[in-house]
Amino acid sequence: MGLLAGGFSFALAGTLLYLSIGEDRFYTDLSEAAREAVEQDWLEDGPPAPGVLEEIALAHEKHIYPAYENSYLVFALLSVLVIIVGSGLAWNLSRRLTLPLEKASQSAKLIANGDFSHRMEIPDGASEEIVSLSESFIYLSDSLQKMEDNVRYTSASVAHELRTPLTVIQGYVQGIQDGVFQANTEQLDLILGHVAGLSRLVDDLKLISLAESKGLVLHRTQTDLEACAVDAVNFMRPQFDQAGGALAIAPARRAINVCVDAERVKQALVALISNALRYAGPDARCTVACAHDNGTVSIKVADAGAGFSDEALDRASDRFWRGDPSRDRAQGGSGLGLAVVRAIAEAHGGALELSNAPTGGAVAAITFPSDDA
């Protein structure tokens, strides 16, 4: 509406200019006496001489009448010109606005049809709003692409992890049915061992899934963090003793109480200690320490092994990632241990931090917000 009003104002101004040109020509054709007579007040000074009056009438008929008669046509022509130009500008503006929206609509349809690799192009010279919309679609495509890749990777990894134990179980059961194996305690223990491994795998996947969807239920209580660490160390010490390693806990400088799910914290700590035992070698030396620092509390598990590789520091807590891809489940676990630890830590509002000690060896720390932060 503002553009239309401005256009018609332009047409009106053009018409008035046209009339003023006619008036200028009218004055130009008059003699000096006639111009003075036009500017006089005839009621007060009386009418001019007949010759002067005739000159004024002729000039008026020659310039003023035609100007006013043609002013309607001038106004109409200028109005049509304004409409044509305004329509062109409006069409161009509408195309600049609707073309990106059409591209956004096409992008939305492609994404809805599962083409997550599609990226919406940002038009040249687009407004900030259009650029923001385009970037939002690009971010959406990236997120969905990562989600799809993650689902495919997880599905393939789960199938791989299930295949070996299910094949073994099927082989033992088939052998017992065919009389190849005796259904004795030893054979049943082997089958139950693989079933227990499958059960742990399912439980780990469920925990990670619940944590990522913010659905993991935590039974928080005020917990002595060092006592929690002592329980985990006592649980794992027989395995270290059997392997010829050493597992110790460093006493905390002060009592550390924090509101956490004690059982989940123990589960995470046992996973970290097990990981240290697996990768630090047969004579693994591992130390567990609790600390309070800068508004956070932490439990650190440090070993004297080779430490984390650069890739491991970035990916060790990813699902199904193993430091040595050649290892199978029996040797290298399911690849979910650190992913479970990270899920438990993040569910408490904390984090899993991986690093290498300056003197050598890997350090894995679970941090939690302190109650008195």
mmCIF file of all heavy atoms in Angstrom, residues 336-366:
data_model
loop_
_atom_site.group_PDB
_atom_site.id
_atom_site.type_symbol
_atom_site.label_atom_id
_atom_site.label_comp_id
_atom_site.label_asym_id
_atom_site.label_seq_id
_atom_site.Cartn_x
_atom_site.Cartn_y
_atom_site.Cartn_z
ATOM 1 N N LEU A 336 30.995 -51.243 24.543
ATOM 2 C CA LEU A 336 29.976 -50.376 25.137
ATOM 3 C C LEU A 336 30.372 -49.867 26.514
ATOM 4 O O LEU A 336 29.665 -49.032 27.080
ATOM 5 C CB LEU A 336 28.640 -51.126 25.249
ATOM 6 C CG LEU A 336 27.915 -51.456 23.952
ATOM 7 C CD1 LEU A 336 26.681 -52.289 24.239
ATOM 8 C CD2 LEU A 336 27.529 -50.186 23.208
ATOM 9 N N GLY A 337 31.482 -50.355 27.058
ATOM 10 C CA GLY A 337 31.829 -50.017 28.433
ATOM 11 C C GLY A 337 31.922 -48.534 28.699
ATOM 12 O O GLY A 337 31.233 -47.999 29.583
ATOM 13 N N LEU A 338 32.755 -47.827 27.941
ATOM 14 C CA LEU A 338 32.916 -46.389 28.163
ATOM 15 C C LEU A 338 31.681 -45.606 27.729
ATOM 16 O O LEU A 338 31.418 -44.527 28.262
ATOM 17 C CB LEU A 338 34.163 -45.885 27.433
ATOM 18 C CG LEU A 338 35.501 -46.394 27.980
ATOM 19 C CD1 LEU A 338 36.661 -45.782 27.208
ATOM 20 C CD2 LEU A 338 35.632 -46.080 29.467
ATOM 21 N N ALA A 339 30.947 -46.132 26.755
ATOM 22 C CA ALA A 339 29.688 -45.476 26.361
ATOM 23 C C ALA A 339 28.690 -45.518 27.512
ATOM 24 O O ALA A 339 27.951 -44.545 27.750
ATOM 25 C CB ALA A 339 29.114 -46.150 25.122
ATOM 26 N N VAL A 340 28.656 -46.640 28.237
ATOM 27 C CA VAL A 340 27.786 -46.756 29.403
ATOM 28 C C VAL A 340 28.234 -45.789 30.491
ATOM 29 O O VAL A 340 27.411 -45.105 31.122
ATOM 30 C CB VAL A 340 27.779 -48.206 29.934
ATOM 31 C CG1 VAL A 340 27.109 -48.284 31.299
ATOM 32 C CG2 VAL A 340 27.068 -49.128 28.959
ATOM 33 N N VAL A 341 29.537 -45.699 30.712
ATOM 34 C CA VAL A 341 30.065 -44.784 31.729
ATOM 35 C C VAL A 341 29.692 -43.345 31.385
ATOM 36 O O VAL A 341 29.248 -42.578 32.256
ATOM 37 C CB VAL A 341 31.598 -44.932 31.837
ATOM 38 C CG1 VAL A 341 32.150 -43.899 32.816
ATOM 39 C CG2 VAL A 341 31.963 -46.333 32.296
ATOM 40 N N ARG A 342 29.870 -42.971 30.145
ATOM 41 C CA ARG A 342 29.528 -41.602 29.735
ATOM 42 C C ARG A 342 28.036 -41.341 29.917
ATOM 43 O O ARG A 342 27.631 -40.262 30.379
ATOM 44 C CB ARG A 342 29.906 -41.374 28.273
ATOM 45 C CG ARG A 342 29.658 -39.939 27.796
ATOM 46 C CD ARG A 342 30.001 -39.761 26.340
ATOM 47 N NE ARG A 342 29.125 -40.530 25.479
ATOM 48 C CZ ARG A 342 29.200 -40.538 24.148
ATOM 49 N NH1 ARG A 342 30.145 -39.833 23.542
ATOM 50 N NH2 ARG A 342 28.370 -41.257 23.428
ATOM 51 N N ALA A 343 27.196 -42.324 29.559
ATOM 52 C CA ALA A 343 25.751 -42.154 29.708
ATOM 53 C C ALA A 343 25.370 -41.947 31.173
ATOM 54 O O ALA A 343 24.533 -41.090 31.502
ATOM 55 C CB ALA A 343 25.029 -43.373 29.133
ATOM 56 N N ILE A 344 25.976 -42.717 32.078
ATOM 57 C CA ILE A 344 25.677 -42.569 33.509
ATOM 58 C C ILE A 344 26.153 -41.215 34.014
ATOM 59 O O ILE A 344 25.439 -40.529 34.767
ATOM 60 C CB ILE A 344 26.336 -43.721 34.303
ATOM 61 C CG1 ILE A 344 25.667 -45.057 33.944
ATOM 62 C CG2 ILE A 344 26.244 -43.466 35.805
ATOM 63 C CD1 ILE A 344 26.336 -46.261 34.561
ATOM 64 N N ALA A 345 27.352 -40.811 33.598
ATOM 65 C CA ALA A 345 27.882 -39.520 34.041
ATOM 66 C C ALA A 345 27.006 -38.370 33.567
ATOM 67 O O ALA A 345 26.665 -37.464 34.345
ATOM 68 C CB ALA A 345 29.311 -39.346 33.538
ATOM 69 N N GLU A 346 26.628 -38.390 32.293
ATOM 70 C CA GLU A 346 25.816 -37.298 31.742
ATOM 71 C C GLU A 346 24.418 -37.287 32.321
ATOM 72 O O GLU A 346 23.802 -36.225 32.450
ATOM 73 C CB GLU A 346 25.781 -37.409 30.219
ATOM 74 C CG GLU A 346 27.137 -37.120 29.567
ATOM 75 C CD GLU A 346 27.110 -37.278 28.056
ATOM 76 O OE1 GLU A 346 26.087 -37.789 27.535
ATOM 77 O OE2 GLU A 346 28.113 -36.913 27.397
ATOM 78 N N ALA A 347 23.882 -38.470 32.672
ATOM 79 C CA ALA A 347 22.563 -38.519 33.308
ATOM 80 C C ALA A 347 22.589 -37.829 34.673
ATOM 81 O O ALA A 347 21.565 -37.313 35.131
ATOM 82 C CB ALA A 347 22.105 -39.967 33.459
ATOM 83 N N HIS A 348 23.756 -37.794 35.320
ATOM 84 C CA HIS A 348 23.910 -37.093 36.597
ATOM 85 C C HIS A 348 24.264 -35.623 36.404
ATOM 86 O O HIS A 348 24.517 -34.906 37.381
ATOM 87 C CB HIS A 348 25.007 -37.765 37.430
ATOM 88 C CG HIS A 348 24.586 -39.043 38.100
ATOM 89 N ND1 HIS A 348 24.626 -40.268 37.463
ATOM 90 C CD2 HIS A 348 24.095 -39.279 39.344
ATOM 91 C CE1 HIS A 348 24.208 -41.210 38.293
ATOM 92 N NE2 HIS A 348 23.876 -40.640 39.437
ATOM 93 N N GLY A 349 24.337 -35.168 35.151
ATOM 94 C CA GLY A 349 24.754 -33.796 34.889
ATOM 95 C C GLY A 349 26.250 -33.632 34.874
ATOM 96 O O GLY A 349 26.762 -32.506 34.912
ATOM 97 N N GLY A 350 26.971 -34.753 34.797
ATOM 98 C CA GLY A 350 28.421 -34.711 34.788
ATOM 99 C C GLY A 350 28.994 -35.069 33.434
ATOM 100 O O GLY A 350 28.355 -34.878 32.398
ATOM 101 N N ALA A 351 30.205 -35.640 33.440
ATOM 102 C CA ALA A 351 30.869 -35.957 32.177
ATOM 103 C C ALA A 351 31.918 -37.031 32.407
ATOM 104 O O ALA A 351 32.349 -37.282 33.546
ATOM 105 C CB ALA A 351 31.526 -34.715 31.589
ATOM 106 N N LEU A 352 32.303 -37.677 31.311
ATOM 107 C CA LEU A 352 33.422 -38.608 31.311
ATOM 108 C C LEU A 352 34.593 -37.913 30.617
ATOM 109 O O LEU A 352 34.462 -37.465 29.477
ATOM 110 C CB LEU A 352 33.055 -39.900 30.577
ATOM 111 C CG LEU A 352 34.218 -40.862 30.281
ATOM 112 C CD1 LEU A 352 34.825 -41.379 31.583
ATOM 113 C CD2 LEU A 352 33.754 -42.015 29.397
ATOM 114 N N GLU A 353 35.723 -37.833 31.299
ATOM 115 C CA GLU A 353 36.898 -37.161 30.747
ATOM 116 C C GLU A 353 38.040 -38.163 30.619
ATOM 117 O O GLU A 353 38.384 -38.853 31.587
ATOM 118 C CB GLU A 353 37.315 -35.992 31.645
ATOM 119 C CG GLU A 353 36.222 -34.923 31.783
ATOM 120 C CD GLU A 353 36.617 -33.819 32.743
ATOM 121 O OE1 GLU A 353 37.716 -33.942 33.362
ATOM 122 O OE2 GLU A 353 35.850 -32.850 32.892
ATOM 123 N N LEU A 354 38.623 -38.243 29.426
ATOM 124 C CA LEU A 354 39.723 -39.168 29.155
ATOM 125 C C LEU A 354 40.990 -38.375 28.886
ATOM 126 O O LEU A 354 40.958 -37.356 28.185
ATOM 127 C CB LEU A 354 39.392 -40.050 27.949
ATOM 128 C CG LEU A 354 38.087 -40.854 28.022
ATOM 129 C CD1 LEU A 354 37.868 -41.629 26.726
ATOM 130 C CD2 LEU A 354 38.085 -41.796 29.211
ATOM 131 N N SER A 355 42.096 -38.836 29.425
ATOM 132 C CA SER A 355 43.367 -38.138 29.218
ATOM 133 C C SER A 355 44.509 -39.121 29.461
ATOM 134 O O SER A 355 44.292 -40.264 29.864
ATOM 135 C CB SER A 355 43.483 -36.934 30.157
ATOM 136 O OG SER A 355 43.450 -37.369 31.518
ATOM 137 N N ASN A 356 45.710 -38.651 29.208
ATOM 138 C CA ASN A 356 46.918 -39.416 29.501
ATOM 139 C C ASN A 356 47.706 -38.700 30.580
ATOM 140 O O ASN A 356 47.854 -37.465 30.553
ATOM 141 C CB ASN A 356 47.783 -39.572 28.248
ATOM 142 C CG ASN A 356 47.155 -40.518 27.235
ATOM 143 O OD1 ASN A 356 46.610 -41.556 27.593
ATOM 144 N ND2 ASN A 356 47.234 -40.157 25.955
ATOM 145 N N ALA A 357 48.192 -39.469 31.546
ATOM 146 C CA ALA A 357 48.982 -38.881 32.627
ATOM 147 C C ALA A 357 50.338 -38.416 32.092
ATOM 148 O O ALA A 357 50.886 -39.028 31.170
ATOM 149 C CB ALA A 357 49.178 -39.903 33.742
ATOM 150 N N PRO A 358 50.880 -37.320 32.622
ATOM 151 C CA PRO A 358 52.196 -36.842 32.165
ATOM 152 C C PRO A 358 53.289 -37.897 32.303
ATOM 153 O O PRO A 358 54.233 -37.930 31.507
ATOM 154 C CB PRO A 358 52.474 -35.630 33.074
ATOM 155 C CG PRO A 358 51.129 -35.186 33.532
ATOM 156 C CD PRO A 358 50.303 -36.427 33.644
ATOM 157 N N THR A 359 53.169 -38.753 33.312
ATOM 158 C CA THR A 359 54.179 -39.790 33.532
ATOM 159 C C THR A 359 53.864 -41.073 32.783
ATOM 160 O O THR A 359 54.592 -42.059 32.915
ATOM 161 C CB THR A 359 54.278 -40.094 35.039
ATOM 162 O OG1 THR A 359 52.976 -40.476 35.532
ATOM 163 C CG2 THR A 359 54.750 -38.874 35.804
ATOM 164 N N GLY A 360 52.778 -41.087 31.997
ATOM 165 C CA GLY A 360 52.391 -42.275 31.247
ATOM 166 C C GLY A 360 51.178 -42.945 31.851
ATOM 167 O O GLY A 360 50.916 -42.839 33.047
ATOM 168 N N GLY A 361 50.446 -43.651 31.018
ATOM 169 C CA GLY A 361 49.247 -44.325 31.483
ATOM 170 C C GLY A 361 47.988 -43.533 31.178
ATOM 171 O O GLY A 361 48.022 -42.320 30.946
ATOM 172 N N ALA A 362 46.864 -44.244 31.170
ATOM 173 C CA ALA A 362 45.567 -43.627 30.869
ATOM 174 C C ALA A 362 44.880 -43.179 32.141
ATOM 175 O O ALA A 362 45.019 -43.799 33.196
ATOM 176 C CB ALA A 362 44.691 -44.616 30.110
ATOM 177 N N VAL A 363 44.121 -42.084 32.017
ATOM 178 C CA VAL A 363 43.341 -41.566 33.143
ATOM 179 C C VAL A 363 41.907 -41.360 32.656
ATOM 180 O O VAL A 363 41.671 -40.651 31.670
ATOM 181 C CB VAL A 363 43.903 -40.230 33.672
ATOM 182 C CG1 VAL A 363 43.036 -39.727 34.825
ATOM 183 C CG2 VAL A 363 45.339 -40.400 34.117
ATOM 184 N N ALA A 364 40.961 -42.010 33.327
ATOM 185 C CA ALA A 364 39.540 -41.838 33.024
ATOM 186 C C ALA A 364 38.872 -41.270 34.270
ATOM 187 O O ALA A 364 39.008 -41.838 35.364
ATOM 188 C CB ALA A 364 38.904 -43.159 32.632
ATOM 189 N N ALA A 365 38.180 -40.153 34.130
ATOM 190 C CA ALA A 365 37.584 -39.487 35.284
ATOM 191 C C ALA A 365 36.099 -39.254 35.049
ATOM 192 O O ALA A 365 35.686 -38.799 33.973
ATOM 193 C CB ALA A 365 38.276 -38.160 35.551
ATOM 194 N N ILE A 366 35.307 -39.592 36.070
ATOM 195 C CA ILE A 366 33.880 -39.265 36.054
ATOM 196 C C ILE A 366 33.702 -38.050 36.949
ATOM 197 O O ILE A 366 34.095 -38.065 38.112
ATOM 198 C CB ILE A 366 33.017 -40.422 36.601
ATOM 199 C CG1 ILE A 366 33.371 -41.744 35.921
ATOM 200 C CG2 ILE A 366 31.538 -40.117 36.431
ATOM 201 C CD1 ILE A 366 32.688 -42.937 36.540
#
